Amino acid sequence: MSGLARASSQGSLDRPDDEVVPYSDDETDDELQSEDDLDRSIKLNNACVCPSEAGWSVRANDREYCKRPEFQKKVFLCIKKSKYSGNGIKTYKYNFFTFLPLNLYEQFKRAANLYFLCLLILQIIPQISTLPWYTTLVPLVLVLGITAIKDLVDDLIALVTVFSRSKARHRMDKEINNRKCDVLLNGRFVETRWLNLQVGDVVRIKKNDFIPADILLLSSSNPNSLCYVETAELDGETNLKFKMGQKVTDERLQEEDQLARFNGLIMCEEPNNRLDKFVGTMIWDAQSYSLDLDNMLLRGCKIRNTDFCHGLVIFAGNDTKIMRNGGKTRFKRTLIDKLMNYMVYTIFALLVLLCAGLAIGHTYWYESVGSKAWYLYDGLNYSSSYRGFLSFWGYIIILNTMVPISLYVSVEVIRLGQSKFINWDLQMYYSEKDTPAKARTTTLNEQLGQIQYIFSDKTGTLTQNIMAFKKCSISGRTYGESTSADGVVLDRGKPVDFSWNKYADNKFQFEDHYLISCIRSKKDPQILEFFKLLSLCHTVMVENKEGELVYQAASPDEGALVTAARNFGFVLLARTQDEISILENEREESYKVLATLDFNSDRKRMSTILRFPDGRIRLYCKGADTIFANDTLRTLCLCYKDISEEDFAVWEQKHQVASCAVVNREEAQDVVYEEIEQNLLLIGATAIEDKLQDGVPETIAKLAKADIKIWVLTGDKKDDMKIHYGEDVNVQLRNRQTQRRSDPQGRNCKLKDPFFPQPGKNALIITGGWLNEILYEKKKKRRRLRLKKLRRRPNTPSPPDNSSSQPVDEWEKEKRQEDFVDMACECSAVICCRVTPKQKANVVSLVKKYKKAVTLSIGDGANDVNMIKTADIGVGISGQEGMQAVMSSDYAFAQFCYLQRLLLVHGRWSYIRMCKFLRYFFYKNFAFTLVHFWFSFFNGFSSQTAYEDWFITLYNVCYSSLPVLLVGLLDQDVNDKLSLRFPKLYLPGQQGALFNYRNFFISLFHGIFTSLMIFFIPYGAFLQTMGQDGEAPSDYQSFAVVAASSLIITVNLQISLNTSYWTFVNCFAVLGSIALYFGIMFDIHSAGIHVIFPNTFTFTGAASNALRQPYLWLTIILTVGVCLLPVICIQFLYQTIWPSVGDKVQRNRKKYELEDDEEERKKKKPAFQRGSRSRRSAYAFSHSRGYGDLIASGRSIRQRPRARPELRESIREIPQAENI
């Protein structure tokens, strides 16, 4: 049983134990106490805790208890109130009075919105106002309005997942606060609103009622105070959970008068958001009783299959766990977001420089020209320098469109649309569970196209987490192969007929007839003991539904084992708090449960101590091991030992003290459990199959071809492969550290030598213990306390020894971490096994920190939540381990194979679309704004605009917004099939090649060129010209019309050149925008509107007068042609001479699409057939060996198919992008 042994208390001082997961990351230094103190606390006969020392204490049926002075907290200055919350809640963000001020405050925290508000204020000042106030007000109000409406909809109409998926927050809060329940007041149950509940109240909850607060279960209508709850609103899981009251409360608190006399004191942990943990102690009649999560009914759950139950309110309102989980999560931003912000700052800096230069130009112009021209006298005796100062602010107003006001709201609209496309993708819909893909955020879509590292859990993420009993080893003999009843191995077996067992599960499959004959003949007592252990050592609950036994297990492993025992004749019939009844060889027996030593992530085993019908006391134990590792099966070892009455009495007293500990209860229990789980007799081992999900090998292969590195971070065990393990890694890192210390320039230069002679042909498998050892992440305080216990104290710091592995300062620790990341990145596969949730998150953080890489984490269980939240993108799998990972994720779906479509299709498309949108958005704004700059050289730098005011107002809102918005939503270079067929198309996103500062400056210079043409070609055409009617249309207004018309046609045709995927909508948007411009222009230049608003619309007849001249139309055509011709030539040259992978695929797109269609027609059956062996993983309790050997070797996990012509044809290799 060495595989079950826990790490010794000195483990952290010596070589790490690869078979042990490090201590839970949930503990903090405040929770740690010395083991001497822990030993002393275990030796105490009675637990006596003062209420003031406990973090949270509740007295039953005593509302005044919570109002004591010691439970008051300071709110403001000397104002205090009780730290116990009331039960009323408020989840809405705004109300009728606060919406406008709060929403505006939040929106003006954005730098761009605040900038335009300042511009609006500047435009009100007459001395510097060069544009009417409405040119800024209209776009600003539009942007603020769209965002405000979105926020209002989120708050008033959005779904509230925590409580209800169908009602708005305001209405839901009111309904929840006014729900009714029965509360014990003055000795009688009276109906009251949830809002009026207080901590310490005793309540009665009826069947199908929601639980109003976090409540300690006292008793219920079911035997042994069993209570079934539905937790779908809490964690998304639809299967029923069972809760159980304490035996003492079940026996003594059933009637109303008994509950009224109840005055127990509950001392427990402070309110927190841990849905999987509760630690408390109940003191009643001078006795202490331990409390845990199994005794708690949490708010948000619903009572099922239980007529009624009684409970004591422990946490109310905002202190409940569900409300604590409603807090804000860490805000994630994409690389493009960060780059976009820096570019906006760059634009602002350019704007200030331009305005300063133009202001200086106006100062000199006025000094040399303006002040001497009598016809320019304005009656203001301002100095030239002061006029230059006013000109600076005037140009800040005119050129403000260089900073795009509608950029952020346009980006939000595009991201929202891209998220909807992910939600609507039927190829990511899992019909077996009716689970569509879900984009739970709208801010990270383009980041999906830039992933460089994927960190994946194994069990339930790469595997199905559906367990099936396959083999077992008993007394040294292995059972599970196809054998006859006489033990002869058969080439082709047949399933065992379990018709002799009326309780057998028809879905259970087993082919070893010899094992069945041994059980039925009862000739081997060890086999009978083996299956008796499986039927007794577990936490499975059983329910009899219409004569059918239904098992409810905490994990798929336990369900598979108990079901196996059931089919082999050891049937779990009933279970209470202190008794288990089984059918054993057609004879019903009852065993008294004396203690259950539950499984946890540190011990990796569970035990049950039972009193047999004949009075014997026996301990049954099962825990993870590696006996069936080579068959990739999840393994448990089974063992037992008999305990004397005297030994058990002594141990039970220690167990009672440890179970009632308020602080460090788990550690205290572990010490006590360790004491009894020794000198065990091994019976045998079980082997459970966990199949790999469909499409996992193909997905991993595709992602690898896209140059995405996949690391597997799992709590499972490692296999003994010839590969780089933790000890090898530690030696290499120590050598690198010694080399750095020996080098006089070690701190000033980075050592660039590779760790392996052949980078890329290595794999790394490291355990959690070695990870702590390598990265110096051990608990310092725990180490100090253990040194103290060993009478060893750290020596006074001395000069570092080059041979010492300990870091001398924080710099060396960081370098060690950086070396580890560099080493890992040289490997083709990295497997981190037996790691805690915190270690998973730490590995992700290290890669983000030292590689500056975009990371994605994917998992399916609560232990993956930390990793999911730490990565740039978090993906949750809705599997067998509940919905915690999904609820914490950014994207969610049901199968790992959908990840390739999420990244290679939706992610790549989103990245390309966003990059095109941003490049064009900056270009069109530069082209529009810089015309004012060129015009300044011909108007004495007088801050005069080159366009009509309403054109400036509507340019970004109406004339140029829709085509680029549709490109950001709909454009695609190749279709989804080709995106998956050629993973190399993903590389530009990883390299950030489509949007960076180089692209930004290309857009800037392109805008400068376009603005030059837009200004100087019409300017040249207007010089010394004469119209057909003898008039000279060379006035300012006609020039503004021609320049504006040239600009609108140019920018709309420019986006057409950048569009790869044409639809009717795109065509309509381009032509419609141009038509809309001319329609609005003729309207606002008409005489009718001028009569109504003479001061606002001053370009009366300018459009009709200018555009009736044919040569001005030729000027517009010439301007547009000169602007677009270089772009067409450059695009042609790039696609011809320097084509990218995408260009090559596009060039042969038709050919590939025909090949795909032909391939579909040839397929008469699935391309891949399952072989005779299933793909499986090993070990039990979701802590088993992963697929490190297969991933590292690069071999396919699928069985090589037999030589069949039609199958060979169906799986022929498709040419990849690198062969184009």
Side-chain angles (χ1 to χ4, degrees), residues 255-361:
E255 302 300 328
E256 191 175 88
D257 59 333
Q258 293 175 322
L259 290 164
R261 293 193 299 270
F262 178 52
N263 64 347
L265 178 66
I266 312 300
M267 292 179 295
C268 62
E269 60 190 12
E270 293 276 353
N272 58 70
N273 63 354
R274 289 285 303 270
L275 294 173
D276 59 341
K277 182 181 179 182
F278 176 82
V279 176
T281 299
M282 179 177 69
I283 301 175
W284 187 27
D285 291 346
Q287 294 292 324
S288 297
Y289 306 92
S290 65
L291 306 174
D292 56 30
L293 192 64
D294 291 334
N295 308 126
M296 293 294 294
L297 304 176
L298 300 184
R299 179 172 181 147
C301 300
K302 183 180 285 190
I303 301 296
R304 296 290 194 190
N305 299 349
T306 306
D307 292 333
F308 64 85
C309 64
H310 301 116
L312 175 66
V313 177
I314 304 297
F315 303 126
N318 292 323
D319 290 334
T320 57
K321 290 183 180 290
I322 190 171
M323 295 303 294
R324 291 277 175 154
N325 273 277
K328 295 181 179 178
T329 56
R330 187 176 67 88
F331 179 67
K332 296 182 179 181
R333 297 174 61 195
T334 66
L335 289 179
I336 284 184
D337 262 336
K338 299 172 184 175
L339 193 58
M340 189 167 60
N341 285 339
Y342 285 127
M343 288 177 179
V344 170
Y345 300 148
T346 303
I347 292 172
F348 183 75
L350 290 174
L351 171 64
V352 172
L353 291 175
L354 281 178
C355 294
L358 293 172
I360 293 171

Side-chain angles (χ1 to χ4, degrees), residues 63 82 154 183 217 233 241 288 298 404 417 473 502 507 510 619 627 634 718 813 848 901 906 933 976 1028 1060 1116:
R63 289 186 168 185
S82 174
D154 286 344
V183 181
L217 178 61
E233 300 297 332
K241 310 288 195 311
S288 297
L298 300 184
S473 175
K502 67 176 183 179
K507 298 179 181 178
F510 203 71
L619 178 144
I627 189 171
R634 302 164 63 85
K718 62 181 179 61
K813 179 180 177 179
K848 288 175 63 178
R901 186 168 181 85
H906 290 287
F933 177 77
D976 55 342
Q1028 290 182 339
S1060 302
I1116 294 174

Side-chain angles (χ1 to χ4, degrees), residues 687-926:
I688 301 174
E689 178 188 63
D690 183 13
K691 293 181 180 179
L692 203 63
Q693 290 182 16
D694 293 335
V696 168
E698 294 85 355
T699 300
I700 292 175
K702 278 246 174 67
L703 296 176
K705 288 177 181 177
D707 202 23
I708 299 175
K709 287 86 173 175
I710 301 177
W711 294 18
V712 178
L713 310 180
T714 177
D716 299 344
K717 290 189 176 181
K718 62 181 179 61
D719 189 21
D720 294 326
M721 297 174 55
K722 248 333 198 188
I723 223 158
H724 301 287
Y725 290 107
E727 192 167 6
D728 308 329
V729 173
N730 198 29
V731 170
Q732 293 223 39
L733 293 179
R734 191 179 298 176
N735 292 339
R736 179 61 59 92
Q737 180 176 276
T738 302
Q739 183 181 354
R740 187 176 285 112
R741 288 176 178 175
S742 303
D743 187 353
Q745 302 296 324
R747 285 183 177 256
N748 301 322
C749 62
K750 182 177 179 179
L751 302 176
K752 298 182 180 180
D753 298 334
F755 287 91
F756 306 117
Q758 293 181 315
K761 297 184 178 181
N762 304 276
L764 188 152
I765 295 182
I766 191 166
T767 61
W770 275 113
L771 198 61
N772 278 350
E773 186 77 18
I774 289 169
L775 303 179
Y776 306 125
E777 293 293 344
K778 292 176 290 188
K779 296 282 186 182
K780 296 179 181 179
K781 189 169 184 178
R782 184 181 293 281
R783 182 181 181 87
R784 224 168 31 240
L785 293 171
R786 287 178 178 157
L787 289 173
K788 181 179 179 181
K789 183 177 179 181
L790 295 171
R791 301 294 185 266
R792 294 166 54 190
R793 294 185 179 275
N795 296 325
T796 305
S798 56
D801 180 8
N802 286 349
S803 62
S804 171
S805 64
Q806 295 303 310
V808 296
D809 54 20
E810 193 65 26
W811 181 87
E812 271 205 351
K813 179 180 177 179
E814 290 184 1
K815 281 298 178 184
R816 173 85 162 216
Q817 294 174 346
E818 186 176 1
D819 288 342
F820 169 74
V821 173
D822 290 340
M823 177 187 290
C825 291
E826 289 182 21
C827 299
S828 57
V830 178
I831 314 293
C832 298
C833 44
R834 310 291 271 179
V835 290
T836 67
K838 185 176 182 180
Q839 287 179 315
K840 292 182 179 183
N842 286 344
V843 171
V844 177
S845 297
L846 288 176
V847 174
K848 288 175 63 178
K849 178 179 179 181
Y850 294 113
K851 288 299 176 183
K852 309 298 182 186
V854 182
T855 59
L856 179 147
S857 292
I858 180 169
D860 71 315
N863 61 335
D864 302 316
V865 168
N866 206 348
M867 172 178 74
I868 286 172
K869 288 184 176 181
T870 302
D872 296 298
I873 302 285
V875 177
I877 299 274
S878 52
Q880 304 294 322
E881 295 188 18
M883 299 292 288
Q884 294 95 326
V886 169
M887 295 172 70
S888 302
S889 66
D890 304 306
Y891 299 89
F893 41 72
Q895 294 282 287
F896 180 84
C897 62
Y898 297 153
L899 184 62
Q900 61 174 312
R901 186 168 181 85
L902 181 70
L903 300 185
L904 302 183
V905 177
H906 290 287
R908 199 180 70 84
W909 280 352
S910 296
Y911 174 73
I912 291 174
R913 291 164 178 168
M914 186 60 70
C915 292
K916 277 190 178 183
F917 167 81
L918 291 173
R919 293 199 307 262
Y920 175 79
F921 203 94
F922 286 128
Y923 155 75
K924 75 182 184 69
N925 274 41
F926 290 140

Side-chain angles (χ1 to χ4, degrees), residues 1 4 472-479 515 524-537 570 612 618-623 625 627-628 636-642 679-686:
M1 286 304 297
L4 299 176
C472 61
S473 175
I474 307 172
S475 300
R477 172 158 185 165
T478 300
Y479 301 91
L515 179 59
D524 190 340
Q526 289 294 326
I527 293 179
L528 303 182
E529 192 70 21
F530 181 91
F531 287 103
K532 181 192 292 186
L533 188 155
L534 290 182
S535 66
L536 292 170
C537 184
F570 293 79
F612 278 44
R618 175 167 289 184
L619 178 144
Y620 282 139
C621 180
K622 61 183 181 184
D625 212 287
I627 189 171
F628 285 103
L636 279 178
C637 279
L638 310 183
C639 51
Y640 73 95
K641 83 171 184 177
D642 292 319
N679 303 318
L680 307 178
L681 299 177
L682 179 65
I683 306 176
T686 62

Side-chain angles (χ1 to χ4, degrees), residues 32 133 202 353 566 616 630 635 648 748 769 850 854 866 1025 1032:
L32 293 170
W133 52 268
V202 174
L353 291 175
R566 168 182 174 175
R616 288 180 297 149
N630 293 332
T635 309
F648 178 74
N748 301 322
Y850 294 113
V854 182
N866 206 348
T1025 58

Side-chain angles (χ1 to χ4, degrees), residues 464-484:
Q464 297 179 11
N465 204 16
I466 299 176
M467 311 302 173
F469 185 91
K470 288 297 179 182
K471 291 183 180 181
C472 61
S473 175
I474 307 172
S475 300
R477 172 158 185 165
T478 300
Y479 301 91
E481 301 292 344
S482 299
T483 59
S484 66

Side-chain angles (χ1 to χ4, degrees), residues 589-647:
E589 296 283 359
S590 294
Y591 297 82
K592 185 177 182 181
V593 180
L594 302 178
T596 299
L597 285 56
D598 205 1
F599 166 86
N600 65 35
S601 59
D602 293 338
R603 297 172 58 246
K604 293 296 173 296
R605 63 186 182 273
M606 76 153 293
S607 301
T608 302
I609 302 177
L610 304 164
R611 187 180 295 278
F612 278 44
D614 59 7
R616 288 180 297 149
I617 299 177
R618 175 167 289 184
L619 178 144
Y620 282 139
C621 180
K622 61 183 181 184
D625 212 287
T626 61
I627 189 171
F628 285 103
N630 293 332
D631 292 333
T632 63
L633 294 170
R634 302 164 63 85
T635 309
L636 279 178
C637 279
L638 310 183
C639 51
Y640 73 95
K641 83 171 184 177
D642 292 319
I643 305 173
S644 66
E645 291 283 354
E646 295 78 12
D647 290 342

Side-chain angles (χ1 to χ4, degrees), residues 14 68 87 308 618 935 998 1118:
D14 304 309
R68 291 183 176 182
N87 203 43
F308 64 85
R618 175 167 289 184
F935 187 46
R998 175 178 173 273
L1118 176 63

